[in-house]
């Protein structure tokens, strides 16, 4: 699992994942085991940050990883790195799950979410990737309070921008703008290129 | 929503914080707005870093479950291939080959001297024009061949492709529409699939999203074709995962 930590931050290891995914696209089950070992930790981390429930998180993570296998032939290397593709999928599925639960549960969920903004340490409590975590923590600190809260609620809690606006008592337009300029500041701090 | 509002949605989009309806209309906007598409890709990559930082150790049981499950889950084709159309649905096949033919003729006419699928730096303009004319003739011959068979596929991201094969002429033509441009310094390269081993079959013009390409070399029993992203000039063997794989019509 050590190598998995480096995949997003160290460009030299990314081509390996890309190559593995190429083999997976051709039906190579052994290559898929390699992909699994590289991404299962981050996938579960993303899902768990959003869902928080352990059993449900493993279930959704399993769905995501099987979907990676199923749709690998559709992965487009020219559209972004493999790890970004997989983590975007993981976040999407976690968010879908949060939003698809029945109305009553959804209300409870929302009530809990709108209660307070989670601290980063709290959402990242199970973090294994220390280096990545430190870097993200440092960069989150460069955001304004509102930017940080908005981005955190949206990403780690799976809230829509409307729900974020409600939670932070801000106009919709302000939230749209803060999500964008907050992420732009993070992008520049982390040195992310597409 | 005004366009200015739309431009501001890249952040919410990257965080999956739009409603389903807004997501659909924003993706429509992204297809037309290059600056937003670029920014959205970067912000998606940034969001992924937030995800990477949340890594947590899965139980060994999860690995077992997933690796067992994939042995029973069928993978999607890169394009949803509708089967050999000529065999299953004659009318659709005829419509399709007429469509392919019309598209080819239009494209060949529009391309004029630039329907060249091989970039050789050394060749002079005259030679290139000559070769292009020859290519157009060969394309027309394949499309008009009595035994020409067509198979169409969605290639993802709104691109559609059709491959036309004449086993008698032993040549294949690939018609594509709505293909996104490859990244800078890259081209789409075509491959014949000889039972799993990929044989180079020329590169596509990186500046065109609609084009007609005569695959280089004989079909020679190939069972399929693939497309990968390669450095300009092409590679001897694929250096990236396939963007699309299609089975050739029998
Ligand atoms: Zn725009």
């Amino acid at each position: 699992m050590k190598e998995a930590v480096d995949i997003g931050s160290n460009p030299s290891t990314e081509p390996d994942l890309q190559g593995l995914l190429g083999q997976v696209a051709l039906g190579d089950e052994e290559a898929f085991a390699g992909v699994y070992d590289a991404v299962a930790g981050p996938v579960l981390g993303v899902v768990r940050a959003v869902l928080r429930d352990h059993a449900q998180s493993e279930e959704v993570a399993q769905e995501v990883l099987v979907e990676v296998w199923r749709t690998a032939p559709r992965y487009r290397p020219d559209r972004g790195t493999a790890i970004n593709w997989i983590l975007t999928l993981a976040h999407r599925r976690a968010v879908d799950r949060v939003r698809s639960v029945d109305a009553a549960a959804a209300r409870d969920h929302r009530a809990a979410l709108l209660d307070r903004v989670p601290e980063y340490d709290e959402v990242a409590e199970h973090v294994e990737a220390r280096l990545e975590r430190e870097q993200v923590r440092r960069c989150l600190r460069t955001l304004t309070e509102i930017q940080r809260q908005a981005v955190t609620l949206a990403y780690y809690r799976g809230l829509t921008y409307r729900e974020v606006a409600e939670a932070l008592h801000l106009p919709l337009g302000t939230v749209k703008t803060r999500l964008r300029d907050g992420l732009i500041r993070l992008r520049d701090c982390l040195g992310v290129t597409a | 929503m005004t366009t200015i509002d739309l431009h501001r949605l890249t952040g919410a989009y990257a965080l999956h914080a739009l409603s389903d309806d807004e997501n659909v209309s924003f993706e429509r906007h992204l297809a037309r707005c290059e600056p937003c598409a670029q920014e959205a890709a970067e912000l998606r990559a940034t969001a992924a870093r937030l995800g990477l930082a949340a890594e947590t150790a899965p139980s060994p049981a999860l690995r077992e479950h997933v690796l067992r499950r994939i042995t029973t889950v069928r993978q999607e084709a890169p394009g949803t291939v509708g089967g050999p159309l000529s065999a299953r649905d004659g009318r659709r096949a005829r419509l399709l080959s007429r469509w392919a033919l019309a598209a080819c003729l239009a494209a060949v006419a529009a391309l004029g001297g630039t329907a060249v699928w091989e970039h050789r730096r050394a060749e002079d303009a005259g030679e290139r024009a000559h070769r292009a004319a020859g290519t157009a003739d060969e394309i027309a011959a394949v499309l008009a061949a009595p035994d020409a068979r067509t198979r169409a596929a969605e290639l993802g991201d709104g691109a559609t492709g059709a491959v036309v094969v004449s086993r008698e002429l032993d040549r294949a033509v690939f018609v594509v529409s709505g293909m996104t441009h490859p990244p800078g310094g890259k081209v789409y390269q075509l491959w014949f699939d000889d039972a799993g081993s990929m044989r180079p079959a020329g590169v596509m013009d990186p500046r065109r999203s609609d084009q007609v390409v005569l695959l280089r070399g004989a079909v020679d029993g190939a069972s399929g074709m693939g497309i990968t992203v390669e450095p300009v000039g092409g590679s001897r063997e694929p250096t990236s995962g396939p963007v699309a794989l299609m089975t050739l019509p029998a």
Side-chain angles (χ1 to χ4, degrees), chain B:
Chain B
M1 203 176 302
T2 68
T3 308
I4 290 174
D5 275 340
L6 281 172
H7 296 316
R8 281 195 304 165
L9 285 180
T10 49
Y13 172 77
L15 294 164
H16 295 130
L18 296 175
S19 69
D20 291 348
D21 288 350
E22 288 166 325
N23 204 56
V24 168
S25 55
F26 189 67
E27 285 192 337
R28 220 175 285 139
H29 173 71
L30 282 183
R32 291 189 309 255
C33 181
E34 178 56 32
C36 276
Q38 172 69 24
E39 188 172 284
E42 290 169 4
L43 299 188
R44 271 274 155 92
T46 305
R49 295 289 295 274
L50 290 172
L52 207 56
E55 170 165 13
T56 180
S59 66
L62 183 67
R63 191 175 195 275
E64 259 177 64
H65 285 304
V66 172
L67 296 188
R68 191 160 0 103
R69 260 188 69 191
I70 61 137
T71 62
T72 62
V73 173
R74 199 172 155 180
Q75 290 182 299
E76 278 179 19
T80 9
V81 177
L85 292 166
S86 49
R88 263 211 339 224
D89 185 338
R91 187 165 164 274
R92 265 186 70 202
R94 273 195 305 280
L95 284 173
L96 181 71
S97 46
R98 265 180 29 213
W99 167 80
L101 184 62
C104 285
L105 293 179
V108 168
L111 290 171
T114 64
V116 180
W117 29 265
E118 190 176 41
H119 297 262
R120 231 187 268 154
R121 249 171 248 140
E123 72 195 357
D124 66 37
E127 192 186 342
R128 192 157 58 226
H130 180 72
R131 270 162 30 86
T135 301
D137 286 350
E138 286 185 79
I139 287 173
V142 172
L143 296 173
D147 73 328
R149 291 288 172 84
T150 302
R151 179 170 284 198
E154 300 282 346
L155 301 178
D157 292 307
T160 50
V163 58
V164 186
V165 176
S166 164
R167 295 283 171 181
E168 203 170 284
L169 298 175
D170 212 21
R171 299 302 300 261
V173 166
F174 180 58
V175 187
V176 67
S177 166
M179 193 90 171
T180 51
H181 295 293
K186 306 280 182 164
V187 292
Y188 290 117
Q189 183 165 4
L190 305 174
W191 306 88
F192 279 119
D193 180 355
D194 298 321
S197 103
M198 302 304 255
R199 167 158 57 93
V203 300
M204 287 167 53
D205 185 333
R207 293 157 306 174
R208 304 193 61 89
S209 51
D210 301 339
Q211 56 187 305
V212 183
V213 189
L214 179 69
L215 270 69
R216 196 179 69 202
V219 177
D220 198 17
S223 57
M225 63 163 285
I227 308 173
T228 62
V229 175
E230 301 294 336
V232 167
S235 307
R236 276 159 194 245
E237 44 191 47
T239 62
S240 65
V243 170
L245 287 173
M246 294 172 73
T247 307
L248 294 184

Side-chain angles (χ1 to χ4, degrees), chain A residues 60-194:
Chain A
V60 172
Q62 185 176 335
E63 294 306 321
V64 169
L65 290 158
V66 171
E67 191 172 349
V68 167
W69 160 262
R70 196 166 51 75
T71 59
R74 290 178 176 274
Y75 164 62
R76 303 266 311 253
D78 57 315
R79 288 302 181 86
T81 62
I83 189 72
N84 286 348
W85 177 65
I86 292 168
L87 291 185
T88 300
L89 179 67
H91 189 255
R92 180 74 242 178
R93 292 296 168 252
V95 163
D96 287 345
R97 173 63 69 100
V98 161
R99 292 182 195 161
S100 73
V101 289
D102 62 271
R107 264 198 311 280
D108 288 353
H109 177 77
R110 265 164 52 93
L113 291 178
L114 302 183
D115 204 20
R116 71 204 159 83
V117 180
E119 286 306 313
Y120 177 65
D121 284 334
E122 186 189 328
V123 303
E125 62 190 323
H126 304 285
V127 161
E128 310 261 306
R130 282 183 207 295
L131 222 142
E132 184 68 23
R133 180 188 176 179
E134 276 318 307
Q135 212 185 349
V136 167
R137 186 212 303 270
R138 183 174 59 75
C139 288
L140 276 171
R141 271 201 225 110
T142 68
L143 270 54
T144 67
E145 189 64 10
I146 289 178
Q147 286 174 338
R148 191 183 58 74
Q149 290 181 336
V151 168
T152 306
L153 282 172
Y155 190 81
Y156 289 118
R157 286 294 180 260
L159 265 60
T160 64
Y161 75 89
R162 273 167 217 287
E163 291 170 325
V164 172
E166 214 176 301
L168 299 179
H169 307 289
L170 291 170
L172 287 177
T174 308
V175 170
K176 284 184 209 168
T177 309
R178 292 301 158 259
L179 289 176
R180 174 167 177 257
D181 54 33
L183 270 188
I184 286 175
R185 200 179 277 194
L186 260 187
R187 174 196 70 190
D188 296 344
C189 179
L190 291 167
V192 173
T193 52

